[in-house]
Amino acid sequence: MSTPAGPVTKPRVVVIALSYKLTTRVKSYVQDLVDAGVDVDLLVAESSSTQDADLDPQVRVHRVLDVEASDITIRRIERGLLFTLPAKAFGKARSLTVGRPALKKVDAGLALTRRAQSKVSKGIHKKMFWPTFRVMRPLILSRRGQGPAVDLDLAHADRIVAADQPAVPLAWRLSRRYPGVRTTTALDRKPYVGDK
Amino acid sequence: MTASERRPRLLYLAFYFPPSRASGVYRARATANHFAAAGWDVTVFAAPLGFLYDVIGSTDEKLLDTVDPRITVERPELDTFRWEHELQNMSWFRGTLPTVSKKFFDWREARQFPEQYVSWARSSVAKALKLHRREKFDAVLATGNPFSAFAAGWAIGKLAKIPYVIDYRDSWTLDLFKDEPAYPPKHPTWKWERRVIGKSAATVFVNNALRDWHADRYPKAADRMMVVPNGWDPDLLELPPAEPAEPATTPQRPLKFGYLGTVTTHQPVEEMAEAFRIARAHPDLAGAELNLFGHLGFFKHSHASFLPRLGLDAAGQVDPATDAGLRLRGPVSKTEVSSVYADSDVLVFLAAGGRYVTSGKIFEYMATGRPIVSVHAPDIAAREVLEGYPLWFHADSLDPEKLAQSFVEAGQAAREAGPEVRAAARRHADTFKRDTLLAPLEARMRTLVRPSTVQEVSS
């Protein structure tokens, strides 16, 4: 009499990739895991992160945010102050001056100021805001990502993989919260794929 | 009270040292053993075991047993920041601000020395000075790579006021495969090389071509430069009988050619395959096989690109349409090397690079006393050690027709060479035994030791 075999549990890996787009390296890693029969949860930054990624349908994709540009307050404020508000203000002002010969000089002055303002805004965005935000972004995502990550039942995962640099702070926090789960930055296929 | 001679104390900076089995480890092992046997009190500074086991993962415990027990091995710390992947082991700073911490780490490394092992060099200096305060070292010998060992040798020499010697086991600023400088002119590496060569008591190279290239760049240090070729280690190589197990003269027995080592993209593999295909048309080489023992490429998937170049199909099997007589035999363990040599009638010296490349493999090849066929650029530095080897066959060209002729001549020699020729071949190889080659370096270093430091008063 043979004993019926118990249900075979598939290994489960949670991959966190928080760059704006999935890199080929991450996509190929995820695909290799799926091909090896691993259950893969992929946590990405926003909806557009997996656009055109052509992921295997077996990969369960989760998102920290819907649209980063509008879901992160500081980005909303920055865009409003540097671009939206000035655009509206200049638009309103010029609507009063355009086509009026008496205000021709004022209109030209406004157009010039608008161009200068646009240049300054772009400069501030590129040279000041963006370098600072790039450093802060992983931290912001690590705070916002804790909820979606915890929902993934991490205690029963085999390993958590921080697949890119922005994913490190979130994965580091999770490594403190789940000390029993191996949390790594190595895209190591060996335990699942072997030496093929 | 009598005055007795204290053994001279050597500090040897050799990052790759047993149990590592990196290619450069054999020279380091032999050097340390040679100095210990010559009466030096040797302390080796090597890579931390954690790095060898967990990061590199390429070790050989048996090699550790071949290190002279009189040698003291210390393992200064190495900052494993760049190799650390486990989040649990990362600090708050790195875990929270990964980009900033990486930039800080890179900046800190770059301002010290342009190489990733600089933290080991820094720990080596600190440890050396501590040990030197306890009991004085008489000289420092540093082998590279890593080349931060040279910087450590220079710093220890300066701070402890003792002579240091640097051993270019590998090329640093010269790209061996392009025969041109490996760094742009303003790169900080040049400043460091000028500094370490300028102040060294001697600078050692593995062949004359490399010595000359450096002598041209640093003429003031030229008279302190010397050559210590790599050689072979009799204690690690069990020599096969001078004659193959089954004599090649046995009627009808096809000849067995052998290549032992990793096949790399820089090597002229197509020329070798084509030449062997042509040579097999000769009656003496009818049915001959060229067995390749080793990996194809350095990486797991790199073998695929080599197979068609070798006339083999995607599975590494013989493709009858393109068969050139090449057979993949896979990698062999160190213990099987001797039987590979014993089973081969002729050894094929397939080598990449040009006039600065010697290749360590050639010394073992010569030690077997087997005919050797050269397949490499004609002006390769290995010529200088092969000159005088009576069973060396070379076309001085990579033209397949000419190479094929060398294969045929080597095959004929395998069938016809008598015991005298084979003994002469082995005698030639004996001049390249590691101990023989290291003797001038040991003698040079002995002259650097101040006599007063090796005289101690004892009761």
Side-chain angles (χ1 to χ4, degrees):
Chain A
M1 206 171 89
S2 63
T3 318
V8 180
T9 320
K10 280 165 79 175
R12 187 165 155 259
V13 173
V14 176
V15 179
I16 307 175
L18 300 181
S19 291
Y20 285 102
K21 291 279 173 200
L22 282 189
T23 59
T24 312
R25 182 170 161 265
V26 176
K27 279 189 279 189
S28 117
Y29 175 65
V30 166
Q31 190 57 52
D32 286 350
L33 293 187
V34 170
D35 292 344
V38 178
D39 230 357
V40 180
D41 284 289
L42 175 65
L43 182 61
V44 297
E46 57 180 339
S47 307
S48 64
S49 301
T50 47
Q51 235 171 29
D52 313 320
D54 198 21
L55 285 170
D56 192 299
Q58 293 177 74
V59 179
R60 287 188 298 272
V61 181
H62 313 269
R63 290 164 191 92
V64 175
L65 307 163
D66 282 332
V67 182
E68 184 183 298
S70 55
D71 286 359
I72 293 182
T73 316
I74 187 72
R75 281 199 68 180
R76 241 182 12 244
I77 294 172
E78 186 252 359
R79 207 179 50 205
L81 286 177
L82 291 182
F83 302 105
T84 318
L85 278 179
K88 278 189 178 166
F90 279 105
K92 183 71 188 166
R94 288 201 64 198
S95 71
L96 304 172
T97 56
V98 171
R100 295 189 178 182
L103 296 173
K104 197 176 169 189
K105 282 190 177 170
V106 178
D107 186 57
L110 275 174
L112 192 70
T113 316
R114 167 68 177 136
R115 277 202 298 276
Q117 175 274 323
S118 177
K119 215 172 174 183
V120 170
S121 288
K122 278 180 187 163
I124 292 172
H125 176 78
K126 265 191 177 171
K127 298 274 166 69
M128 290 171 70
F129 175 79
W130 199 248
T132 315
F133 179 74
R134 214 168 44 191
V135 173
M136 299 309 293
R137 180 176 177 269
L139 281 177
I140 296 166
L141 290 175
S142 81
R143 288 173 67 97
R144 301 287 291 268
Q146 280 201 85
V150 169
D151 289 345
L152 299 178
D153 185 22
L154 294 175
H156 293 102
D158 286 282
R159 65 171 66 191
I160 301 167
V161 179
D164 51 28
Q165 191 98 315
V168 169
L170 174 57
W172 184 81
R173 281 184 181 213
L174 296 172
S175 77
R176 270 25 192 189
R177 191 163 176 167
Y178 301 96
V181 182
R182 189 174 171 198
T183 315
T184 178
T185 56
L187 304 192
D188 183 8
R189 297 154 168 85
K190 243 186 214 168
Y192 312 105
V193 181
D195 272 329
K196 269 187 262 181
Chain B
M1 267 175 40
T2 57
S4 72
E5 199 169 276
R6 176 176 78 87
R7 287 193 298 159
R9 273 194 97 210
L10 174 72
L11 173 61
Y12 186 30
L13 305 176
F15 185 84
Y16 291 108
F17 197 74
S20 164
R21 60 180 178 91
S23 59
V25 90
Y26 298 97
R27 184 174 172 99
R29 181 201 74 101
T31 304
N33 282 351
H34 181 85
F35 275 80
W40 291 68
D41 177 2
V42 181
T43 301
V44 176
F45 279 7
L49 289 175
F51 177 77
L52 297 180
Y53 289 119
D54 303 335
V55 178
I56 303 277
S58 166
T59 55
D60 182 351
E61 297 302 321
K62 283 184 184 162
L63 206 53
L64 201 54
D65 299 337
T66 66
V67 174
D68 192 310
R70 290 169 291 185
I71 295 168
T72 307
V73 181
E74 299 277 351
R75 299 186 181 275
E77 274 180 36
L78 170 74
D79 187 341
T80 52
F81 182 99
R82 68 176 70 246
W83 297 284
E84 182 59 77
H85 294 295
E86 301 309 305
L87 275 299
Q88 264 106 350
N89 300 338
M90 289 181 190
S91 64
W92 173 88
F93 178 47
R94 189 173 176 189
T96 312
L97 297 166
T99 315
V100 178
S101 68
K102 186 171 183 312
K103 278 193 176 162
F104 175 69
F105 177 81
D106 290 344
W107 168 79
R108 202 179 54 165
E109 270 198 352
R111 65 189 269 272
Q112 290 172 349
F113 189 83
E115 191 184 67
Q116 57 189 8
Y117 301 102
V118 61
S119 63
W120 176 80
R122 204 174 49 222
S123 324
S124 294
V125 175
K127 194 165 205 132
L129 295 177
K130 196 174 157 193
L131 294 179
H132 184 69
R133 273 196 297 273
R134 209 178 295 158
E135 192 181 354
K136 294 206 178 315
F137 288 112
D138 295 299
V140 184
L141 173 60
T143 181
N145 65 47
F147 299 101
S148 47
F150 291 177
W154 167 81
I156 296 165
K158 191 176 174 185
L159 295 167
K161 297 188 171 56
I162 51 175
Y164 72 93
V165 170
I166 53 174
D167 174 20
Y168 275 77
R169 189 188 73 235
D170 216 339
S171 174
W172 182 14
T173 52
L174 171 66
D175 185 329
L176 294 182
F177 299 108
K178 295 180 185 161
D179 289 359
E180 61 186 41
Y183 299 96
K186 299 279 179 196
H187 198 275
T189 298
W190 296 111
K191 187 186 80 181
W192 271 105
E193 185 170 65
R194 197 164 50 245
R195 183 182 280 171
V196 296
I197 289 184
K199 298 283 181 192
S200 71
T203 305
V204 182
F205 300 95
V206 294
N207 60 46
N208 278 311
L210 281 169
R211 184 209 164 276
D212 294 347
W213 189 84
H214 287 84
D216 280 349
R217 297 187 85 89
Y218 308 103
K220 284 182 184 165
D223 60 337
R224 286 176 276 128
M225 293 179 177
M226 61 188 292
V227 173
V228 176
N230 272 320
W232 60 284
D233 303 289
D235 61 326
L236 293 182
L237 179 69
E238 193 189 326
L239 281 181
E243 295 280 342
E246 191 190 348
T249 45
T250 306
Q252 307 297 318
R253 181 171 85 71
L255 289 169
K256 285 188 253 180
F257 287 68
Y259 168 79
L260 188 70
T262 302
V263 177
T264 68
T265 47
H266 295 292
Q267 292 171 336
V269 286
E270 279 104 347
E271 289 87 342
M272 179 182 72
E274 177 59 11
F276 199 68
R277 193 186 59 73
I278 298 168
R280 287 177 94 213
H282 192 280
D284 281 338
L285 264 68
E289 287 183 350
L290 169 46
N291 297 305
L292 305 175
F293 298 94
H295 293 281
L296 293 182
F298 290 114
F299 304 105
K300 203 167 65 179
H301 300 294
S302 52
H303 68 279
S305 61
F306 281 102
L307 296 171
R309 297 171 67 190
L310 296 169
L312 300 167
D313 68 15
Q317 299 302 312
V318 176
D319 182 349
T322 55
D323 184 22
L326 274 65
R327 304 288 180 265
L328 285 187
R329 302 299 183 197
V332 289
S333 71
K334 196 79 188 159
T335 51
E336 293 170 309
V337 166
S338 184
S339 63
V340 166
Y341 287 137
D343 286 345
S344 302
D345 299 307
V346 177
L347 296 169
V348 177
F349 179 45
L350 171 71
R355 58 198 167 119
Y356 301 105
V357 177
T358 309
S359 167
K361 193 54 65 188
I362 194 59
F363 299 99
E364 275 194 4
Y365 272 25
M366 291 195 300
T368 66
R370 297 277 188 276
I372 297 172
V373 186
S374 273
V375 182
H376 49 65
D379 58 350
I380 196 167
R383 286 190 71 100
E384 71 190 41
V385 296
L386 281 160
E387 295 284 2
Y389 186 76
L391 292 170
W392 178 37
F393 299 90
H394 53 104
D396 283 337
S397 160
L398 282 172
D399 173 35
E401 293 286 347
K402 290 180 181 165
L403 282 173
Q405 186 56 33
S406 299
F407 275 109
V408 172
E409 286 167 11
Q412 287 166 341
R415 293 192 193 279
E416 292 159 10
E420 307 80 33
V421 182
R422 289 179 189 272
R426 285 201 163 176
R427 275 198 303 278
H428 177 81
D430 283 349
T431 61
F432 293 99
K433 279 184 180 166
R434 197 85 78 161
D435 273 327
T436 312
L437 300 171
L438 283 165
L441 173 62
E442 194 273 327
R444 170 75 75 95
M445 293 212 62
R446 208 168 266 276
T447 64
L448 301 175
V449 178
R450 274 174 276 167
S452 59
T453 64
V454 289
Q455 294 290 325
E456 264 191 356
V457 177
S458 65
S459 53

